[in-house]
Amino acid sequence: MKRILILTVAAALLLAVLWQARREEPLAVTLHTVGRGTVELTVTNTRAGTVKACRRSALSMPGGGRVEVLHVKEGQEVAAGELLLELWNEDRKAMTAQAESQLAAASHRREQLCVEADNAAREARRLATLQQRKLVAQELAEAADTRARSAAFACRAAGDEQQTAASNLQMNRALLAETQLRAPFAGIVAEINGEVGEYVTPSPPGIPMPPAVDLIDYSCLYVTAPIDEVDAGRLKPGLPARISLDAFRGEHFAGRLDRIAPYVVELEKQARTVDVDVLFTDPADRERLLVGYSADIDVVLEAHEEVIRIPSEALMDNDTVYRLDPAGSRLRRVAVQTGIRNWNFTEITAGLAVGDRVVTSLDQPGLADGALAAPADD
C-alpha cells in the first residue's frame, strides 16, 4: 500500500513538472497608453551648436606701450565708453594740458581784439558823423576808419588762431586716446591679456595677437549650429525653435530662427551642412547662460495640437505597432496611419484609439503577433 502511495505521488509530481514546462510564460513588455497631445515636425542640428553673443569684441590697443593702469577686472560689467585699460601717457597728458592752455589763451586774445575792434568801429562811425557836419577834419575820420578795419582784421585773425589752437587740442586728445582703451558697448569683461608694467604690442598685419580685453555683450545671445543640407530648404527666418543645453539637462529655452547661411559647409563629402543662427527670445534666460555653452536646436516647421499620438520608439517598419489585446492579454500587430512625427512622438491618424496600450520595448526577445504578454511593471 505504501509503495502504491509513493508511486502515485511521484507520478503527480512528474505531471506537475511536465505541465509547468509546457505552460506558456507571458512576455514582460513595457507599455504606453495612447493619448492625445501636441506633435511637432522639427528639424534638428547634425552636430552640437555653440552659444554665442551678438556682439563680442576682441579689443586691442592701436599702438604699443607699457600698461600703467587696469581700470577693470575679468567678469566685471562695464558701461559703453568706460575706461578699461591705460598705457603710460604722462607725456601726452602734458601735451594735452598745454594745448588746452594755448586754446584758452587764444580764446582770450580773440575776445580782447574783437572788443577793441568793436570800439574802433564805433569810434569810426562817430567821427564819420561829425565829419559830415564839418565838426572834425576829414583826415581824422579816415584815420579812424582805417583803425577800425585793421582791428576787424585782427579780430578775425585771432579767431583763426583760436581755431588752430582748438585743432591742436583735438589732435593731442586723439593721441592721448590711443593710450586709453574704452568699451565700445556695454558688456562683461571676459578676459584681460596683460598686467600693470607689461608692454603691449599691437598686432602686425596678418599676425593675430591676443586681444588686450575680450568684451562680451550678454544682452543678445544666439546658438549657431549646422543643419543637414536636405533640411535647409524647408527653413525660413522667423520659425519658432527650442534650445537645449548640456548645462541645463531636461530644460528647454525658447528661440527663433534668425539667420540661414547662404552657403553649404563641406567638411566631408557625405556630411554637408548649412549653419543657422537661433536667437534666445526670453531675456530672463540670458541671465543664466554663458557664451561657449554647447547647445542643440529643434526648429519647429509644423505643429498639430490635441492629436492622437504614440512614442516614436513604439513604431516599427511599415508603420505597424504591437497593441496589447486586453481581453486575451495577447499582442496584436496592428497597421496604423501616421501624420507628422519627431524623435519623441508620432501622430496617429488611424489604427489606434485613445486608451489603447502599445509596446515600446521593441528590443524584447520573443515579440510576435499573438504572443502572450504582461506589463513589465505589473
Side-chain angles (χ1 to χ4, degrees):
M1 187 68 181
K2 180 184 287 188
R3 183 177 180 183
I4 296 174
L5 179 61
I6 293 174
L7 291 174
T8 302
V9 172
L13 291 175
L14 179 60
L15 289 173
V17 170
L18 292 174
W19 179 84
Q20 184 69 23
R22 296 183 61 184
R23 192 183 69 166
E24 183 180 5
E25 290 289 339
L27 297 174
V29 294
T30 303
L31 299 174
H32 174 84
T33 303
V34 178
R36 291 185 178 273
T38 300
V39 180
E40 297 173 334
L41 178 62
T42 60
V43 169
T44 306
N45 53 297
T46 58
R47 295 186 305 277
T50 304
V51 176
K52 296 184 178 182
C54 298
R55 287 196 299 180
R56 180 174 186 174
S57 291
L59 306 176
S60 299
M61 303 298 299
R66 189 181 74 244
V67 178
E68 186 71 11
V69 184
L70 285 174
H71 294 277
V72 295
K73 58 184 179 181
E74 293 182 355
Q76 180 177 335
E77 293 187 14
V78 297
E82 186 172 339
L83 188 58
L84 308 177
L85 180 149
E86 197 168 3
L87 303 181
W88 184 87
N89 53 14
E90 293 300 322
D91 54 344
R92 295 190 178 181
K93 286 182 178 179
M95 294 171 63
T96 302
Q98 182 183 32
E100 290 174 346
S101 298
Q102 291 174 346
L103 176 59
S107 299
H108 295 154
R109 176 65 176 167
R110 175 182 177 276
E111 184 178 356
Q112 175 190 359
L113 292 177
C114 290
V115 168
E116 292 177 356
D118 289 340
N119 290 335
R122 286 195 298 271
E123 179 65 13
R125 289 194 297 270
R126 187 180 69 83
L127 291 178
T129 301
L130 294 176
Q131 195 275 331
Q132 290 176 359
R133 298 177 182 177
K134 308 299 183 182
L135 298 177
V136 297
Q138 183 177 355
E139 291 80 1
L140 290 176
E142 291 175 352
D145 181 65
T146 300
R147 288 194 297 272
R149 285 187 292 168
S150 178
F153 282 124
C155 175
R156 288 197 292 271
D160 294 337
E161 291 177 358
Q162 180 186 16
Q163 184 62 41
T164 300
S167 298
N168 184 54
L169 174 60
Q170 184 178 3
M171 179 188 67
N172 279 280
R173 285 176 174 170
L175 293 175
L176 177 62
E178 289 185 348
T179 67
Q180 299 172 331
L181 188 61
R182 296 183 180 274
F185 51 81
I188 294 178
V189 177
E191 184 180 11
I192 299 176
N193 292 302
E195 298 291 341
V196 174
E198 292 183 350
Y199 197 86
V200 174
T201 303
S203 298
I207 303 178
M209 298 286 288
V213 175
D214 185 9
L215 185 64
I216 302 176
D217 179 6
Y218 268 87
S219 65
C220 174
L221 298 178
Y222 68 97
V223 173
T224 181
I227 296 291
D228 195 288
E229 63 175 340
V230 300
D231 296 321
R234 298 187 289 171
L235 300 179
K236 61 181 179 180
L239 287 174
R242 283 190 308 273
I243 305 170
S244 57
L245 297 93
D246 291 339
F248 301 95
R249 291 188 177 274
E251 191 172 354
H252 293 93
F253 299 84
R256 184 185 74 252
L257 183 61
D258 182 63
R259 186 188 74 94
I260 305 169
Y263 56 89
V264 174
V265 178
E266 186 180 354
L267 296 179
E268 300 175 7
K269 290 184 178 180
Q270 302 302 324
R272 303 188 182 191
T273 58
V274 177
D275 287 341
V276 299
D277 294 342
V278 174
L279 286 172
F280 287 89
T281 54
D282 189 348
D285 293 338
R286 303 169 196 151
E287 299 177 1
R288 299 189 294 156
L289 302 175
L290 295 178
V291 170
Y293 273 156
S294 62
D296 293 310
I297 60 172
D298 290 311
V299 181
V300 181
L301 301 177
E302 187 179 352
H304 294 173
E305 298 181 355
E306 288 302 310
V307 297
I308 297 177
R309 67 180 188 178
I310 62 170
S312 295
E313 62 191 87
L315 195 65
M316 296 181 293
D317 295 339
N318 300 323
D319 288 344
T320 59
V321 298
Y322 281 119
R323 183 186 65 192
L324 181 65
D325 185 356
S329 297
R330 293 190 177 274
L331 299 179
R332 302 302 179 192
R333 186 159 185 164
V334 178
V336 297
Q337 295 180 15
T338 62
I340 62 175
R341 69 184 72 184
N342 55 41
W343 289 107
N344 297 318
F345 292 101
T346 296
E347 178 186 6
I348 301 299
T349 59
L352 292 175
V354 174
D356 287 344
R357 305 176 78 185
V358 295
V359 177
T360 57
S361 54
L362 297 181
D363 56 348
Q364 173 73 38
L367 285 179
D369 188 28
L372 186 66
D377 53 355
D378 286 357

